[in-house]
Short mmCIF file of all heavy atoms in Angstrom, two decimals:
data_model
loop_
_atom_site.label_atom_id
_atom_site.label_comp_id
_atom_site.label_asym_id
_atom_site.label_seq_id
_atom_site.Cartn_x
_atom_site.Cartn_y
_atom_site.Cartn_z
N MET J 231 41.19 -1.76 -28.36
CA MET J 231 40.66 -1.31 -27.10
C MET J 231 40.05 -2.50 -26.36
O MET J 231 39.46 -3.37 -26.96
CB MET J 231 39.60 -0.24 -27.36
CG MET J 231 39.76 0.98 -26.51
SD MET J 231 38.52 2.24 -26.81
CE MET J 231 39.43 3.33 -27.87
N THR J 232 40.21 -2.51 -25.06
CA THR J 232 39.66 -3.61 -24.28
C THR J 232 38.28 -3.22 -23.74
O THR J 232 37.86 -2.08 -23.83
CB THR J 232 40.59 -3.95 -23.10
OG1 THR J 232 40.54 -2.88 -22.16
CG2 THR J 232 42.01 -4.19 -23.55
N ASN J 233 37.65 -4.19 -23.10
CA ASN J 233 36.33 -3.93 -22.51
C ASN J 233 36.43 -3.00 -21.31
O ASN J 233 35.42 -2.50 -20.84
CB ASN J 233 35.67 -5.24 -22.10
CG ASN J 233 35.25 -6.05 -23.31
OD1 ASN J 233 35.03 -5.51 -24.38
ND2 ASN J 233 35.16 -7.35 -23.14
N ASP J 234 37.63 -2.79 -20.77
CA ASP J 234 37.82 -1.93 -19.60
C ASP J 234 37.88 -0.45 -19.97
O ASP J 234 37.90 0.40 -19.08
CB ASP J 234 39.12 -2.30 -18.88
CG ASP J 234 39.09 -3.71 -18.34
OD1 ASP J 234 38.01 -4.33 -18.28
OD2 ASP J 234 40.17 -4.22 -17.97
N VAL J 235 37.94 -0.13 -21.24
CA VAL J 235 38.05 1.26 -21.67
C VAL J 235 36.67 1.89 -21.72
O VAL J 235 35.74 1.34 -22.29
CB VAL J 235 38.74 1.35 -23.06
CG1 VAL J 235 38.73 2.77 -23.57
CG2 VAL J 235 40.16 0.83 -22.97
N ILE J 236 36.56 3.05 -21.11
CA ILE J 236 35.30 3.79 -21.10
C ILE J 236 35.46 4.99 -22.02
O ILE J 236 36.15 5.95 -21.67
CB ILE J 236 34.93 4.24 -19.68
CG1 ILE J 236 34.82 3.02 -18.76
CG2 ILE J 236 33.63 5.04 -19.69
CD1 ILE J 236 34.75 3.34 -17.31
N PRO J 237 34.90 4.92 -23.22
CA PRO J 237 35.08 6.02 -24.17
C PRO J 237 34.32 7.28 -23.76
O PRO J 237 33.29 7.21 -23.09
CB PRO J 237 34.53 5.47 -25.48
CG PRO J 237 33.56 4.42 -25.06
CD PRO J 237 34.06 3.87 -23.75
N GLY J 238 34.88 8.39 -24.13
CA GLY J 238 34.25 9.68 -23.87
C GLY J 238 34.63 10.65 -24.96
O GLY J 238 35.22 10.27 -25.98
N VAL J 239 34.31 11.89 -24.74
CA VAL J 239 34.62 12.91 -25.73
C VAL J 239 35.06 14.18 -25.02
O VAL J 239 34.58 14.48 -23.92
CB VAL J 239 33.41 13.18 -26.65
CG1 VAL J 239 32.26 13.79 -25.90
CG2 VAL J 239 33.80 14.04 -27.82
N CYS J 240 35.99 14.87 -25.62
CA CYS J 240 36.37 16.20 -25.15
C CYS J 240 35.72 17.18 -26.11
O CYS J 240 35.99 17.17 -27.31
CB CYS J 240 37.89 16.36 -25.16
SG CYS J 240 38.41 17.99 -24.57
N LEU J 241 34.83 17.99 -25.59
CA LEU J 241 34.10 18.96 -26.40
C LEU J 241 34.60 20.35 -26.06
O LEU J 241 34.62 20.75 -24.90
CB LEU J 241 32.60 18.85 -26.14
CG LEU J 241 31.70 19.85 -26.83
CD1 LEU J 241 31.82 19.74 -28.34
CD2 LEU J 241 30.25 19.62 -26.40
N LEU J 242 35.04 21.07 -27.07
CA LEU J 242 35.59 22.41 -26.91
C LEU J 242 34.79 23.41 -27.72
O LEU J 242 34.23 23.07 -28.75
CB LEU J 242 37.04 22.45 -27.43
CG LEU J 242 38.00 21.39 -26.93
CD1 LEU J 242 39.28 21.43 -27.72
CD2 LEU J 242 38.27 21.59 -25.46
N ARG J 243 34.79 24.64 -27.27
CA ARG J 243 34.25 25.72 -28.08
C ARG J 243 35.44 26.51 -28.61
O ARG J 243 36.22 27.05 -27.83
CB ARG J 243 33.34 26.63 -27.26
CG ARG J 243 32.74 27.70 -28.14
CD ARG J 243 31.68 28.47 -27.41
NE ARG J 243 31.09 29.42 -28.35
CZ ARG J 243 30.13 30.21 -28.05
NH1 ARG J 243 29.60 30.18 -26.84
NH2 ARG J 243 29.65 31.05 -28.93
N LEU J 244 35.57 26.54 -29.92
CA LEU J 244 36.70 27.21 -30.54
C LEU J 244 36.48 28.72 -30.56
O LEU J 244 35.36 29.19 -30.73
CB LEU J 244 36.88 26.71 -31.97
CG LEU J 244 37.18 25.22 -32.13
CD1 LEU J 244 37.24 24.86 -33.61
CD2 LEU J 244 38.46 24.84 -31.43
N PRO J 245 37.56 29.48 -30.43
CA PRO J 245 37.45 30.94 -30.60
C PRO J 245 36.93 31.26 -32.00
O PRO J 245 37.15 30.49 -32.95
CB PRO J 245 38.88 31.44 -30.42
CG PRO J 245 39.58 30.36 -29.65
CD PRO J 245 38.92 29.08 -30.07
N ALA J 246 36.28 32.38 -32.14
CA ALA J 246 35.65 32.75 -33.41
C ALA J 246 36.64 32.79 -34.57
O ALA J 246 36.28 32.51 -35.71
CB ALA J 246 34.95 34.10 -33.26
N ASN J 247 37.89 33.11 -34.31
CA ASN J 247 38.88 33.22 -35.39
C ASN J 247 39.58 31.90 -35.69
O ASN J 247 40.52 31.88 -36.48
CB ASN J 247 39.91 34.31 -35.07
CG ASN J 247 40.70 34.00 -33.81
OD1 ASN J 247 40.33 33.14 -33.02
ND2 ASN J 247 41.79 34.72 -33.62
N SER J 248 39.18 30.80 -35.07
CA SER J 248 39.80 29.50 -35.31
C SER J 248 39.37 28.91 -36.64
O SER J 248 38.24 29.14 -37.09
CB SER J 248 39.44 28.51 -34.20
OG SER J 248 39.96 28.92 -32.98
N ASP J 249 40.25 28.13 -37.23
CA ASP J 249 39.95 27.45 -38.49
C ASP J 249 39.61 26.00 -38.18
O ASP J 249 40.47 25.12 -38.24
CB ASP J 249 41.14 27.56 -39.44
CG ASP J 249 40.83 27.06 -40.84
OD1 ASP J 249 39.78 26.42 -41.04
OD2 ASP J 249 41.66 27.31 -41.73
N GLY J 250 38.34 25.76 -37.82
CA GLY J 250 37.88 24.42 -37.47
C GLY J 250 38.10 23.39 -38.55
O GLY J 250 38.58 22.29 -38.27
N PRO J 251 37.79 23.71 -39.83
CA PRO J 251 38.02 22.71 -40.88
C PRO J 251 39.49 22.31 -41.01
O PRO J 251 39.81 21.14 -41.22
CB PRO J 251 37.52 23.41 -42.14
CG PRO J 251 36.46 24.35 -41.65
CD PRO J 251 37.00 24.85 -40.33
N ALA J 252 40.40 23.26 -40.84
CA ALA J 252 41.83 22.94 -40.93
C ALA J 252 42.25 22.08 -39.74
O ALA J 252 43.03 21.13 -39.90
CB ALA J 252 42.66 24.22 -40.98
N MET J 253 41.72 22.38 -38.56
CA MET J 253 42.04 21.59 -37.36
C MET J 253 41.54 20.16 -37.54
O MET J 253 42.23 19.20 -37.23
CB MET J 253 41.42 22.22 -36.13
CG MET J 253 41.76 21.51 -34.85
SD MET J 253 40.94 22.21 -33.40
CE MET J 253 41.93 23.66 -33.14
N LYS J 254 40.33 20.03 -38.07
CA LYS J 254 39.75 18.71 -38.32
C LYS J 254 40.61 17.93 -39.32
O LYS J 254 40.92 16.76 -39.10
CB LYS J 254 38.33 18.85 -38.85
CG LYS J 254 37.68 17.54 -39.24
CD LYS J 254 36.29 17.77 -39.80
CE LYS J 254 35.70 16.48 -40.30
NZ LYS J 254 34.34 16.68 -40.82
N ALA J 255 41.03 18.58 -40.39
CA ALA J 255 41.86 17.92 -41.41
C ALA J 255 43.19 17.47 -40.82
O ALA J 255 43.63 16.34 -41.07
CB ALA J 255 42.08 18.85 -42.60
N ARG J 256 43.84 18.33 -40.04
CA ARG J 256 45.12 17.96 -39.40
C ARG J 256 44.94 16.75 -38.50
O ARG J 256 45.73 15.81 -38.54
CB ARG J 256 45.68 19.13 -38.57
CG ARG J 256 46.40 20.17 -39.35
CD ARG J 256 47.22 21.10 -38.46
NE ARG J 256 46.48 21.65 -37.33
CZ ARG J 256 45.74 22.75 -37.37
NH1 ARG J 256 45.64 23.43 -38.50
NH2 ARG J 256 45.12 23.19 -36.29
N GLY J 257 43.89 16.79 -37.69
CA GLY J 257 43.65 15.67 -36.78
C GLY J 257 43.37 14.38 -37.52
O GLY J 257 43.98 13.34 -37.23
N GLN J 258 42.49 14.43 -38.48
CA GLN J 258 42.14 13.21 -39.21
C GLN J 258 43.32 12.68 -40.03
O GLN J 258 43.49 11.47 -40.13
CB GLN J 258 40.91 13.46 -40.07
CG GLN J 258 39.67 13.61 -39.21
CD GLN J 258 38.39 13.75 -40.00
OE1 GLN J 258 38.39 14.06 -41.19
NE2 GLN J 258 37.28 13.53 -39.33
N ASN J 259 44.13 13.57 -40.58
CA ASN J 259 45.33 13.12 -41.30
C ASN J 259 46.33 12.44 -40.37
O ASN J 259 47.14 11.64 -40.82
CB ASN J 259 45.99 14.29 -42.02
CG ASN J 259 45.21 14.72 -43.24
OD1 ASN J 259 44.46 13.96 -43.83
ND2 ASN J 259 45.37 15.98 -43.63
N ALA J 260 46.26 12.77 -39.07
CA ALA J 260 47.15 12.15 -38.08
C ALA J 260 46.51 10.93 -37.42
O ALA J 260 47.06 10.37 -36.48
CB ALA J 260 47.52 13.18 -37.02
N GLY J 261 45.33 10.53 -37.89
CA GLY J 261 44.66 9.35 -37.35
C GLY J 261 43.81 9.62 -36.12
O GLY J 261 43.44 8.68 -35.41
N ILE J 262 43.49 10.89 -35.85
CA ILE J 262 42.67 11.26 -34.70
C ILE J 262 41.24 11.45 -35.20
O ILE J 262 40.98 12.29 -36.05
CB ILE J 262 43.19 12.56 -34.05
CG1 ILE J 262 44.65 12.38 -33.63
CG2 ILE J 262 42.31 12.97 -32.88
CD1 ILE J 262 45.35 13.69 -33.33
N GLU J 263 40.33 10.65 -34.68
CA GLU J 263 38.93 10.76 -35.09
C GLU J 263 38.30 11.95 -34.40
O GLU J 263 37.83 11.85 -33.28
CB GLU J 263 38.18 9.47 -34.78
CG GLU J 263 38.69 8.29 -35.57
CD GLU J 263 37.89 7.04 -35.30
OE1 GLU J 263 36.70 7.15 -34.90
OE2 GLU J 263 38.44 5.96 -35.48
N CYS J 264 38.29 13.07 -35.08
CA CYS J 264 37.77 14.30 -34.50
C CYS J 264 36.84 14.95 -35.52
O CYS J 264 36.86 14.61 -36.69
CB CYS J 264 38.92 15.24 -34.15
SG CYS J 264 39.99 15.64 -35.54
N THR J 265 36.04 15.88 -35.06
CA THR J 265 35.17 16.59 -35.98
C THR J 265 34.76 17.93 -35.40
O THR J 265 34.94 18.21 -34.23
CB THR J 265 33.94 15.75 -36.35
OG1 THR J 265 33.32 16.33 -37.50
CG2 THR J 265 32.94 15.66 -35.21
N GLU J 266 34.21 18.70 -36.26
CA GLU J 266 33.73 20.03 -35.91
C GLU J 266 32.22 19.95 -35.73
O GLU J 266 31.55 19.24 -36.46
CB GLU J 266 34.08 20.95 -37.08
CG GLU J 266 33.89 22.39 -36.84
CD GLU J 266 34.32 23.21 -38.03
OE1 GLU J 266 34.60 22.65 -39.11
OE2 GLU J 266 34.35 24.42 -37.88
N TYR J 267 31.71 20.67 -34.75
CA TYR J 267 30.26 20.76 -34.56
C TYR J 267 29.83 21.98 -35.36
O TYR J 267 29.93 23.11 -34.90
CB TYR J 267 29.92 20.89 -33.07
CG TYR J 267 28.45 20.77 -32.79
CD1 TYR J 267 27.80 19.55 -32.92
CD2 TYR J 267 27.72 21.88 -32.38
CE1 TYR J 267 26.45 19.44 -32.64
CE2 TYR J 267 26.37 21.76 -32.11
CZ TYR J 267 25.75 20.55 -32.25
OH TYR J 267 24.41 20.44 -31.98
N TYR J 268 29.41 21.74 -36.57
CA TYR J 268 29.18 22.81 -37.54
C TYR J 268 28.14 23.82 -37.09
O TYR J 268 27.12 23.46 -36.53
CB TYR J 268 28.78 22.21 -38.89
CG TYR J 268 29.89 21.38 -39.45
CD1 TYR J 268 29.88 20.00 -39.33
CD2 TYR J 268 30.98 21.98 -40.07
CE1 TYR J 268 30.91 19.23 -39.83
CE2 TYR J 268 32.01 21.23 -40.57
CZ TYR J 268 31.98 19.85 -40.44
OH TYR J 268 33.01 19.11 -40.92
N GLY J 269 28.45 25.09 -37.31
CA GLY J 269 27.53 26.16 -37.03
C GLY J 269 27.52 26.64 -35.59
O GLY J 269 26.91 27.63 -35.27
N GLN J 270 28.22 25.94 -34.70
CA GLN J 270 28.20 26.31 -33.30
C GLN J 270 29.59 26.61 -32.73
O GLN J 270 29.71 26.95 -31.57
CB GLN J 270 27.56 25.20 -32.47
CG GLN J 270 26.15 24.85 -32.89
CD GLN J 270 25.20 26.01 -32.72
OE1 GLN J 270 25.22 26.70 -31.71
NE2 GLN J 270 24.37 26.25 -33.72
N GLY J 271 30.64 26.44 -33.51
CA GLY J 271 31.99 26.68 -33.03
C GLY J 271 32.52 25.59 -32.12
O GLY J 271 33.51 25.77 -31.43
N GLY J 272 31.86 24.45 -32.12
CA GLY J 272 32.30 23.33 -31.27
C GLY J 272 33.26 22.42 -32.00
O GLY J 272 33.30 22.37 -33.24
N PHE J 273 34.06 21.72 -31.23
CA PHE J 273 35.02 20.77 -31.79
C PHE J 273 35.17 19.65 -30.78
O PHE J 273 35.25 19.90 -29.58
CB PHE J 273 36.37 21.47 -32.01
CG PHE J 273 37.32 20.65 -32.82
CD1 PHE J 273 37.28 20.72 -34.20
CD2 PHE J 273 38.23 19.82 -32.21
CE1 PHE J 273 38.15 19.96 -34.97
CE2 PHE J 273 39.10 19.06 -32.97
CZ PHE J 273 39.06 19.13 -34.35
N TYR J 274 35.20 18.42 -31.25
CA TYR J 274 35.37 17.33 -30.30
C TYR J 274 36.25 16.22 -30.83
O TYR J 274 36.41 16.04 -32.03
CB TYR J 274 34.02 16.79 -29.81
CG TYR J 274 33.04 16.33 -30.84
CD1 TYR J 274 32.94 15.00 -31.19
CD2 TYR J 274 32.16 17.23 -31.44
CE1 TYR J 274 32.00 14.57 -32.12
CE2 TYR J 274 31.22 16.82 -32.36
CZ TYR J 274 31.14 15.49 -32.70
OH TYR J 274 30.22 15.08 -33.61
N PHE J 275 36.87 15.53 -29.87
CA PHE J 275 37.73 14.39 -30.18
C PHE J 275 37.59 13.36 -29.06
O PHE J 275 37.20 13.69 -27.94
CB PHE J 275 39.19 14.82 -30.38
CG PHE J 275 39.79 15.60 -29.25
CD1 PHE J 275 40.46 14.96 -28.23
CD2 PHE J 275 39.67 16.97 -29.22
CE1 PHE J 275 41.01 15.68 -27.19
CE2 PHE J 275 40.23 17.70 -28.18
CZ PHE J 275 40.90 17.05 -27.16
N PRO J 276 37.88 12.09 -29.36
CA PRO J 276 37.65 11.03 -28.38
C PRO J 276 38.71 11.02 -27.28
O PRO J 276 39.87 11.38 -27.50
CB PRO J 276 37.74 9.75 -29.22
CG PRO J 276 38.60 10.12 -30.38
CD PRO J 276 38.35 11.57 -30.64
N VAL J 277 38.28 10.60 -26.10
CA VAL J 277 39.18 10.41 -24.96
C VAL J 277 38.76 9.16 -24.21
O VAL J 277 37.65 8.67 -24.38
CB VAL J 277 39.15 11.63 -24.00
CG1 VAL J 277 39.67 12.88 -24.66
CG2 VAL J 277 37.76 11.86 -23.46
N HIS J 278 39.65 8.63 -23.41
CA HIS J 278 39.34 7.54 -22.49
C HIS J 278 40.43 7.50 -21.42
O HIS J 278 41.45 8.18 -21.54
CB HIS J 278 39.21 6.19 -23.21
CG HIS J 278 40.39 5.80 -24.04
ND1 HIS J 278 41.55 5.31 -23.51
CD2 HIS J 278 40.58 5.88 -25.37
CE1 HIS J 278 42.40 5.05 -24.47
NE2 HIS J 278 41.86 5.41 -25.61
N GLN J 279 40.19 6.73 -20.38
CA GLN J 279 41.08 6.75 -19.23
C GLN J 279 42.43 6.08 -19.47
O GLN J 279 43.33 6.19 -18.63
CB GLN J 279 40.38 6.12 -18.01
CG GLN J 279 40.36 4.60 -17.98
CD GLN J 279 39.24 3.97 -18.77
OE1 GLN J 279 38.57 4.61 -19.57
NE2 GLN J 279 39.01 2.69 -18.53
N CYS J 280 42.62 5.45 -20.59
CA CYS J 280 43.89 4.76 -20.86
C CYS J 280 44.85 5.58 -21.73
O CYS J 280 45.91 5.08 -22.11
CB CYS J 280 43.61 3.42 -21.53
SG CYS J 280 42.68 2.29 -20.48
N LEU J 281 44.49 6.82 -22.05
CA LEU J 281 45.40 7.65 -22.84
C LEU J 281 46.68 7.89 -22.05
O LEU J 281 46.65 8.25 -20.87
CB LEU J 281 44.77 9.00 -23.19
CG LEU J 281 43.62 8.98 -24.19
CD1 LEU J 281 43.04 10.38 -24.32
CD2 LEU J 281 44.08 8.47 -25.53
N THR J 282 47.81 7.71 -22.71
CA THR J 282 49.10 7.96 -22.07
C THR J 282 49.46 9.44 -22.24
O THR J 282 48.82 10.16 -23.02
CB THR J 282 50.19 7.10 -22.71
OG1 THR J 282 50.35 7.51 -24.08
CG2 THR J 282 49.85 5.62 -22.65
N ASP J 283 50.49 9.87 -21.57
CA ASP J 283 50.97 11.24 -21.76
C ASP J 283 51.38 11.45 -23.21
O ASP J 283 51.15 12.51 -23.78
CB ASP J 283 52.15 11.54 -20.83
CG ASP J 283 51.71 11.71 -19.39
OD1 ASP J 283 50.51 11.92 -19.14
OD2 ASP J 283 52.59 11.62 -18.51
N TYR J 284 51.97 10.42 -23.82
CA TYR J 284 52.34 10.51 -25.23
C TYR J 284 51.09 10.72 -26.09
O TYR J 284 51.09 11.57 -26.99
CB TYR J 284 53.09 9.25 -25.69
CG TYR J 284 53.36 9.25 -27.17
CD1 TYR J 284 54.48 9.90 -27.68
CD2 TYR J 284 52.48 8.65 -28.06
CE1 TYR J 284 54.71 9.93 -29.06
CE2 TYR J 284 52.71 8.68 -29.42
CZ TYR J 284 53.83 9.32 -29.92
OH TYR J 284 54.04 9.36 -31.27
N ASP J 285 50.05 9.94 -25.85
CA ASP J 285 48.81 10.07 -26.62
C ASP J 285 48.24 11.49 -26.52
O ASP J 285 47.85 12.08 -27.52
CB ASP J 285 47.73 9.09 -26.11
CG ASP J 285 48.10 7.64 -26.29
OD1 ASP J 285 48.81 7.30 -27.24
OD2 ASP J 285 47.65 6.83 -25.44
N LYS J 286 48.20 12.03 -25.31
CA LYS J 286 47.65 13.37 -25.10
C LYS J 286 48.50 14.42 -25.81
O LYS J 286 47.94 15.32 -26.46
CB LYS J 286 47.54 13.67 -23.61
CG LYS J 286 46.50 12.81 -22.91
CD LYS J 286 46.45 13.13 -21.44
CE LYS J 286 46.87 11.93 -20.64
NZ LYS J 286 46.85 12.16 -19.20
N ALA J 287 49.81 14.29 -25.72
CA ALA J 287 50.70 15.24 -26.40
C ALA J 287 50.54 15.13 -27.92
O ALA J 287 50.54 16.14 -28.63
CB ALA J 287 52.15 14.99 -25.99
N TYR J 288 50.38 13.91 -28.42
CA TYR J 288 50.21 13.68 -29.86
C TYR J 288 48.92 14.35 -30.34
O TYR J 288 48.92 15.04 -31.38
CB TYR J 288 50.15 12.17 -30.13
CG TYR J 288 50.00 11.82 -31.58
CD1 TYR J 288 51.10 11.78 -32.42
CD2 TYR J 288 48.75 11.52 -32.12
CE1 TYR J 288 50.97 11.45 -33.76
CE2 TYR J 288 48.61 11.20 -33.45
CZ TYR J 288 49.72 11.16 -34.27
OH TYR J 288 49.58 10.85 -35.60
N ILE J 289 47.85 14.19 -29.60
CA ILE J 289 46.57 14.80 -29.97
C ILE J 289 46.71 16.32 -30.00
O ILE J 289 46.34 16.97 -30.99
CB ILE J 289 45.45 14.36 -29.01
CG1 ILE J 289 45.12 12.87 -29.23
CG2 ILE J 289 44.20 15.21 -29.20
CD1 ILE J 289 44.23 12.27 -28.16
N LEU J 290 47.24 16.90 -28.93
CA LEU J 290 47.39 18.35 -28.87
C LEU J 290 48.29 18.88 -29.99
O LEU J 290 47.96 19.86 -30.64
CB LEU J 290 47.92 18.77 -27.51
CG LEU J 290 46.94 18.65 -26.36
CD1 LEU J 290 47.61 19.00 -25.05
CD2 LEU J 290 45.72 19.52 -26.60
N LYS J 291 49.42 18.22 -30.20
CA LYS J 291 50.36 18.66 -31.23
C LYS J 291 49.69 18.68 -32.60
O LYS J 291 49.88 19.62 -33.38
CB LYS J 291 51.58 17.75 -31.27
CG LYS J 291 52.56 18.09 -32.36
CD LYS J 291 53.70 17.12 -32.42
CE LYS J 291 54.57 17.45 -33.61
NZ LYS J 291 55.34 16.31 -34.07
N ASN J 292 48.91 17.66 -32.89
CA ASN J 292 48.31 17.55 -34.22
C ASN J 292 47.06 18.42 -34.39
O ASN J 292 46.74 18.81 -35.51
CB ASN J 292 48.02 16.09 -34.55
CG ASN J 292 49.27 15.37 -34.93
OD1 ASN J 292 49.79 15.54 -36.02
ND2 ASN J 292 49.81 14.60 -34.01
N LEU J 293 46.37 18.71 -33.33
CA LEU J 293 45.19 19.56 -33.46
C LEU J 293 45.56 21.05 -33.45
O LEU J 293 45.00 21.83 -34.19
CB LEU J 293 44.18 19.27 -32.35
CG LEU J 293 43.51 17.90 -32.40
CD1 LEU J 293 42.50 17.75 -31.28
CD2 LEU J 293 42.85 17.64 -33.75
N ILE J 294 46.50 21.40 -32.61
CA ILE J 294 46.89 22.81 -32.50
C ILE J 294 47.87 23.20 -33.59
O ILE J 294 47.86 24.31 -34.08
CB ILE J 294 47.47 23.09 -31.10
CG1 ILE J 294 46.36 22.91 -30.07
CG2 ILE J 294 48.03 24.49 -31.02
CD1 ILE J 294 46.82 22.96 -28.64
N GLY J 295 48.71 22.27 -33.99
CA GLY J 295 49.65 22.51 -35.08
C GLY J 295 50.97 23.07 -34.67
O GLY J 295 51.33 23.46 -33.66
#
């Protein structure tokens, strides 16, 4: 990453029937640094302005399954 990249986070609230731990495992196994906000149904993963369409599709594919 260069100095021009401004890191951020996408924070989501998962539906009550979602399997947050499984989503986290899928993401981390695919190299996506993501985590679950335990006890609150939250889930977050990193974002920045340099993500390509491929990057975004890769993240979604691996988190949603």
Side-chain angles (χ1 to χ4, degrees):
M231 228 180 261
T232 70
N233 290 335
D234 297 346
V235 174
I236 302 168
V239 66
C240 180
L241 176 60
L242 310 170
R243 183 171 184 178
L244 299 176
N247 62 345
S248 295
D249 189 348
M253 183 183 283
K254 176 182 175 179
R256 279 194 311 273
Q258 289 185 342
N259 286 336
I262 302 165
E263 295 183 25
C264 57
T265 195
E266 190 177 10
Y267 189 70
Y268 297 99
Q270 302 297 316
F273 191 86
Y274 55 96
F275 54 91
V277 296
H278 55 78
Q279 79 276 14
C280 297
L281 290 175
T282 64
D283 287 342
Y284 174 85
D285 296 329
K286 292 179 244 180
Y288 181 83
I289 291 169
L290 288 176
K291 177 184 175 203
N292 283 284
L293 293 182
I294 294 172

